[in-house]
Amino acid sequence: MPRLNPSTLLRRLPFYLRQFSSLPLPSPPLHSHSYSHPSPSRPDPFDPSTRSHPSRSTLTFTADPFDPSTLLKEDPISLCASLWLSSFREPSTTPPLSSYLSRLELWLLAYQKAYADDTGSYLPRSNIPASTIHSLLSLRNAVLDGQFKWGNRLTPFIRSPRDPTDPATLSKRKLKAFLTAPGPPPFQDKIVHEVLLLILEPVFESRFSSKSFAFRPGRTAHTAIRTIRRSFAGYLWYLKGDLSTLFDCPKINLVLNALIREIRDKKIVDLIRAALLTPLITANPMDEALKKKKKSRKYQKKRVLAEDEPKPDPYWLQTFFGFAPEEARKQPDWGHCGVLSPLLANICLDELDKWMEERITEFYKPSNTDTWDREQANVSWPEFLPTTGPDKTRKMDYIRFGAHFLIGVRGPRADAAVLRKQLIEFCDTRFQLKLDNESLPIEHITKGIMFLDHVLCRRVVYPTLRYTASGGKIISEKGVGTLLSVTASLKQCIKQFRKLEFLKGDREPDPQPCFRMFHATQAHTNLQMNKFLLTMAEWYRYADNRKKVVNFCSYIIRGSLAKLYAAKYKLRSRAKVYKIASRNLSRPLKEKKGQSPEYHNLLRMGLVDSIDGLHYTRLSMVPEPDYTPFPGGWQPDHERVLVEYIKLTDANTLEELRCVIKDEGLITPQDSVSMLVWSYKKNAYMFPSLEESDLDEAEEENLVSSAVKLREDLRLLGPYNQRSGEGP
């Protein structure tokens, strides 16, 4: 084929560009800071010799070796699922974690999670641009090569989609302020956090104790409360401890030693060590004082949120976060570890869980004369029995939520004192924490033990026992029993409302108007408060006094809104607000005479918002407490599914099932179908051949059925024969 001169090439350039536009663009280099010329061995798209067909409308090229999409060989969800399965199948064996750290699929999934947290919207995998994938590849290579630095704001490998700041375009003064001002961690740090969490969480979840319930998937404060209601029914002495000083400043050697005991991957351990050792940029107290002295402007322009910017939390969420119990209020945040901090805290405190499990086994002393036993007792009727005397069963149980733990002891107080001494020595040796008797008090159940804003106490009941005596006489007797009561603390509820400035006063709480909702409409305000009330009703779901506490919350919210509406619409008192808007504040307050005739027409046309009344305005509307029995040996749904799947895929399980079927003389559906198919192939009919005895039984059944049918026909024909004058 003759070569084209430059003039002909320029004329045909639009044609080649149209053909070239449908092909993938050449990929940039792997590292964002290194530039290289394309390899001379790569084909030239404008060279006619690269065409495999004489037609000019088709151009084919070889695969691009620099395309990172060739590294995406597997679905990231299936990759994570395989890691969870391998970890739960053999918890004592650690898989090669560095191989998972090099998988680009996990980095892409981590980017999607960090993007969703940063922008508030989910980014599908198909919408991720090629430049972002190249940046993720550069970040992965830097982590594997040991060139990644935590908190690097000057030359990041990848920036947040909401961060338009380019350090190269800043002046020296702005660049210095940008590098020294405290702020959230860089976006690339969050991606590395998510990758490490995807890798480490399944490994340690298979090894953690079932006694811990915080910072773990599938385990919440509700599961901890239900576990206490079920398992702590027979204990009289309680020890409650707080190890939250570990969350303030981490002991690096303690964290690394706990991590190395479980995994021995140098790259991951070095990454976490660098995150703990890299200093954070903290605010200067002098600068904070100068900012407070500056006077605010008289008029401040309202800031308009961008379309891709996450919206602030609604008011009811901010309000509910104020009701967080003391045990869940403090979360660990260690250096540059970010979301890894709670996992690392559980790794450190898991040693305490294992130590307490050993003490529980050693402390258990059963007695044949004592009928109380947690495994054999009725869970819905956990009766207390005296604990004095050598012939009583001695038991102990333990639960931990974050850095707070609760220990129940059934036995004399001296045993609880010995356990407290051992616990103080253990915390001093392993965690370097100086505890004393005041920080670990021993309390009796009659005083009430506060845990997760619920009070554990003993409730006396007088049931009527009915039984049948000799002779068939029914005897009814009054019995006395004591049950474990888990009630919501009304005192803590009032304290939380006072923090949120919803009420004032201790003895007679007086609701205060919530002026933060002053500029919102009545429909929007009622909707926000209804969400808050529903959340509170769900939080106190397992409390014995759920109706009382939720009704009190409804009273405070309703009074606060009534005062707000009285100030907003100048009605002077709550009584006038209730008179116009009714008890549940569902009628509009714009017209003082109540609902105007035009309001129904506007509501029907959709020109005004429908106003929902407040929930739980009466005690009868509050739902009852949930007393659903909590099963023993409970597991979260994902752990239960994993264990069942591993058991079903095990060859020994199938062999055990076959042995059981053989011993019981049963036939599986598969064997039955096989017998039918074999009989059809052998005898040319679907059902197996019958023996002579079976044929005789079938003939007898046919004769009996024929006789019964003939007798029924004769009985029906009898009246007809009589009417016609004929005999039967």
Side-chain angles (χ1 to χ4, degrees):
M1 182 177 180
R3 298 183 60 88
L4 299 177
N5 55 19
S7 60
T8 307
L9 181 61
L10 289 176
R11 287 198 308 269
R12 298 185 180 180
L13 184 59
F15 166 75
Y16 290 117
L17 289 178
R18 285 196 304 269
Q19 301 298 327
F20 185 64
S21 60
S22 61
L23 299 174
L25 295 177
S27 304
L30 297 181
H31 297 277
S32 59
H33 301 290
S34 61
Y35 301 94
S36 59
H37 295 284
S39 174
S41 60
R42 299 180 62 183
D44 186 5
F46 296 102
D47 188 3
S49 61
T50 58
R51 292 178 295 179
S52 59
H53 195 273
S55 176
R56 296 183 179 180
S57 60
T58 305
L59 293 176
T60 57
F61 305 99
T62 58
D64 187 0
F66 296 95
D67 188 4
S69 61
T70 57
L71 301 176
L72 303 175
K73 302 178 181 178
E74 192 175 353
D75 181 54
I77 303 299
S78 62
L79 189 62
C80 293
S82 64
L83 182 57
W84 279 88
L85 284 172
S86 61
S87 300
F88 273 81
R89 183 177 285 111
E90 298 179 358
S92 59
T93 305
T94 304
L97 301 181
S98 294
S99 61
Y100 287 94
L101 190 63
S102 61
R103 299 299 294 268
L104 188 59
E105 297 92 340
L106 295 182
W107 289 88
L108 204 63
L109 181 61
Y111 173 78
Q112 290 177 298
K113 293 179 64 177
Y115 183 94
D117 294 339
D118 201 48
T119 61
S121 60
Y122 174 74
L123 180 66
R125 180 176 175 180
S126 58
N127 293 350
I128 300 177
S131 59
T132 302
I133 299 179
H134 281 278
S135 301
L136 285 174
L137 188 60
S138 302
L139 179 61
R140 186 206 68 169
N141 294 339
V143 170
L144 294 176
D145 297 340
Q147 300 176 0
F148 173 76
K149 294 183 180 180
W150 296 97
N152 183 12
R153 300 184 183 181
L154 186 59
T155 55
F157 293 93
I158 184 171
R159 292 204 304 266
S160 170
R162 293 180 53 246
D163 185 14
T165 306
D166 188 3
T169 61
L170 298 178
S171 62
K172 291 184 178 181
R173 181 180 60 83
K174 291 184 179 180
L175 184 61
K176 182 179 179 181
F178 174 73
L179 296 177
T180 57
F187 184 70
Q188 63 180 8
D189 289 10
K190 297 180 181 179
I191 297 176
V192 181
H193 292 157
E194 294 292 348
V195 172
L196 292 176
L197 187 64
L198 290 173
I199 296 174
L200 294 178
E201 190 176 37
V203 175
F204 287 98
E205 278 294 323
S206 60
R207 307 179 184 185
F208 281 157
S209 171
S210 60
K211 304 291 185 181
S212 62
F213 287 88
F215 315 132
R216 297 181 61 185
R219 301 175 186 268
T220 60
H222 276 171
T223 55
I225 293 171
R226 299 182 71 186
T227 303
I228 290 174
R229 182 188 289 278
R230 184 192 186 280
S231 304
F232 283 67
Y235 303 113
L236 299 183
W237 302 102
Y238 286 84
L239 284 83
K240 189 172 69 171
D242 181 10
L243 305 178
S244 57
T245 53
L246 282 175
F247 292 175
D248 297 333
C249 55
K251 297 178 175 59
I252 299 176
N253 293 333
L254 175 66
V255 178
L256 294 179
N257 291 337
L259 191 65
I260 293 174
R261 276 195 298 269
E262 301 294 336
I263 61 171
R264 298 185 178 276
D265 194 287
K266 186 177 184 302
K267 291 182 180 179
I268 292 180
V269 173
D270 290 345
L271 265 177
I272 297 177
R273 180 189 288 111
L276 293 171
L277 293 176
T278 303
L280 287 172
I281 301 176
T282 57
N284 190 358
M286 298 296 296
D287 297 340
E288 294 292 331
L290 291 175
K291 288 182 181 179
K292 290 181 180 180
K293 288 183 179 180
K294 290 183 179 180
K295 295 182 180 180
S296 59
R297 299 178 182 177
K298 294 183 179 180
Y299 173 75
Q300 292 182 352
K301 186 178 180 180
K302 292 185 178 180
R303 179 172 172 267
V304 179
L305 298 177
E307 294 182 357
D308 58 344
E309 188 173 358
K311 306 301 182 287
D313 291 332
Y315 177 67
W316 71 273
L317 274 182
Q318 296 178 1
T319 306
F320 177 69
F321 288 156
F323 274 82
E326 183 182 357
E327 291 80 3
R329 193 167 299 149
K330 183 182 291 186
Q331 295 187 4
D333 190 7
W334 293 346
H336 290 276
C337 291
V339 296
L340 282 176
S341 301
L343 178 62
L344 296 177
N346 273 333
I347 292 173
C348 295
L349 293 174
D350 185 63
E351 191 172 357
L352 174 64
D353 302 340
K354 301 296 177 57
W355 183 81
M356 280 302 306
E357 288 178 352
E358 295 177 0
R359 302 288 83 75
I360 290 172
T361 305
E362 295 175 358
F363 188 81
Y364 178 64
K365 295 180 181 179
S367 176
N368 296 328
T369 59
D370 192 353
T371 59
W372 182 83
D373 193 350
R374 187 178 63 185
E375 283 76 12
Q376 301 177 1
N378 185 6
V379 179
S380 60
W381 182 254
E383 185 178 356
F384 282 94
L385 296 174
T387 58
T388 57
D391 56 344
K392 299 299 178 182
T393 300
R394 296 188 180 184
K395 281 191 173 185
M396 181 172 59
D397 210 340
Y398 159 86
I399 192 173
R400 180 177 64 84
F401 191 87
H404 298 257
F405 61 87
L406 182 69
I407 304 174
V409 179
R410 173 182 167 83
R413 189 181 185 279
D415 293 344
V418 172
L419 176 64
R420 177 173 63 179
K421 183 179 179 181
Q422 296 176 355
L423 189 59
I424 291 174
E425 294 177 355
F426 176 81
C427 292
D428 187 14
T429 305
R430 300 297 176 89
F431 302 139
Q432 290 85 42
L433 293 179
K434 302 295 182 180
L435 302 179
D436 52 7
N437 294 343
E438 295 182 359
S439 59
L440 287 174
I442 301 175
E443 299 178 354
H444 197 266
I445 186 63
T446 54
K447 294 184 178 180
I449 291 88
M450 179 81 68
F451 195 75
L452 291 173
D453 279 354
H454 287 69
V455 180
L456 312 180
C457 55
R458 194 166 60 175
R459 182 166 52 122
V460 180
V461 292
Y462 302 93
T464 301
L465 305 177
R466 294 182 175 87
Y467 59 94
T468 304
S470 58
K473 185 179 180 181
I474 299 177
I475 300 176
S476 299
E477 293 182 356
K478 282 285 185 180
V480 180
T482 52
L483 298 178
L484 178 67
S485 178
V486 181
T487 60
S489 175
L490 191 60
K491 183 178 179 181
Q492 286 293 112
C493 189
I494 294 174
K495 182 180 178 181
Q496 299 290 358
F497 269 121
R498 194 181 299 112
K499 283 183 180 180
L500 297 171
E501 299 179 356
F502 268 98
L503 55 82
K504 65 178 181 179
D506 296 331
R507 296 183 179 179
E508 297 181 359
D510 185 21
Q512 298 298 305
C514 51
F515 284 113
R516 282 191 285 177
M517 302 292 294
F518 187 84
H519 297 286
T521 61
Q522 183 181 354
H524 181 69
T525 304
N526 286 8
L527 181 63
Q528 296 276 35
M529 292 305 169
N530 277 335
K531 291 180 179 179
F532 172 59
L533 286 173
L534 289 173
T535 310
M536 295 301 298
E538 180 64 23
W539 166 238
Y540 293 119
R541 179 177 182 177
Y542 301 100
D544 293 341
N545 59 343
R546 181 189 188 185
K547 296 177 73 69
K548 179 181 178 180
V549 173
V550 175
N551 187 56
F552 172 76
C553 295
S554 177
Y555 161 73
I556 296 297
I557 296 298
R558 189 163 55 92
S560 177
L561 288 185
K563 286 190 173 182
L564 171 67
Y565 294 151
K568 183 176 181 179
Y569 298 108
K570 300 180 181 180
L571 297 175
R572 296 185 180 181
S573 65
R574 285 185 289 178
K576 291 185 178 180
V577 173
Y578 292 139
K579 184 177 180 180
I580 298 174
S582 74
R583 181 184 180 90
N584 60 355
L585 305 176
S586 60
R587 296 179 182 175
L589 287 164
K590 291 183 179 181
E591 297 290 339
K592 295 185 178 180
K593 296 182 181 180
Q595 289 185 353
S596 59
E598 296 83 5
Y599 176 77
H600 295 285
N601 297 330
L602 295 176
L603 181 63
R604 180 174 54 82
M605 291 185 293
L607 300 178
V608 296
D609 296 333
S610 60
I611 301 176
D612 296 332
L614 290 182
H615 299 323
Y616 314 131
T617 54
R618 298 185 184 277
L619 187 64
S620 58
M621 298 180 181
V622 183
E624 295 286 342
D626 189 355
Y627 290 112
T628 305
F630 199 58
W634 173 85
Q635 285 182 320
D637 292 339
H638 68 280
E639 291 186 8
R640 180 174 51 82
V641 170
L642 283 172
V643 172
E644 291 180 358
Y645 180 80
I646 291 171
K647 186 176 181 180
L648 290 175
T649 54
D650 190 6
N652 296 330
T653 304
L654 182 60
E655 190 63 29
E656 291 176 2
L657 290 176
R658 288 178 177 175
C659 293
V660 171
I661 291 174
K662 185 177 180 180
D663 295 340
E664 296 292 335
L666 303 176
I667 298 177
T668 61
Q670 292 83 355
D671 294 339
S672 179
V673 172
S674 300
M675 292 169 59
L676 291 175
V677 173
W678 175 251
S679 178
Y680 176 75
K681 290 183 176 180
K682 183 178 179 181
N683 303 322
Y685 54 85
M686 285 297 298
F687 299 98
S689 58
L690 299 175
E691 299 180 358
E692 294 182 359
S693 58
D694 297 335
L695 292 173
D696 296 340
E697 292 178 0
E699 291 178 359
E700 291 179 1
E701 290 179 359
N702 292 333
L703 290 175
V704 170
S705 61
S706 301
V708 171
K709 186 177 181 182
L710 179 61
R711 186 183 303 171
E712 186 68 20
D713 294 341
L714 292 175
R715 187 181 64 81
L716 294 175
L717 290 173
Y720 172 77
N721 294 335
Q722 292 178 1
R723 286 195 302 269
S724 61
E726 298 178 1

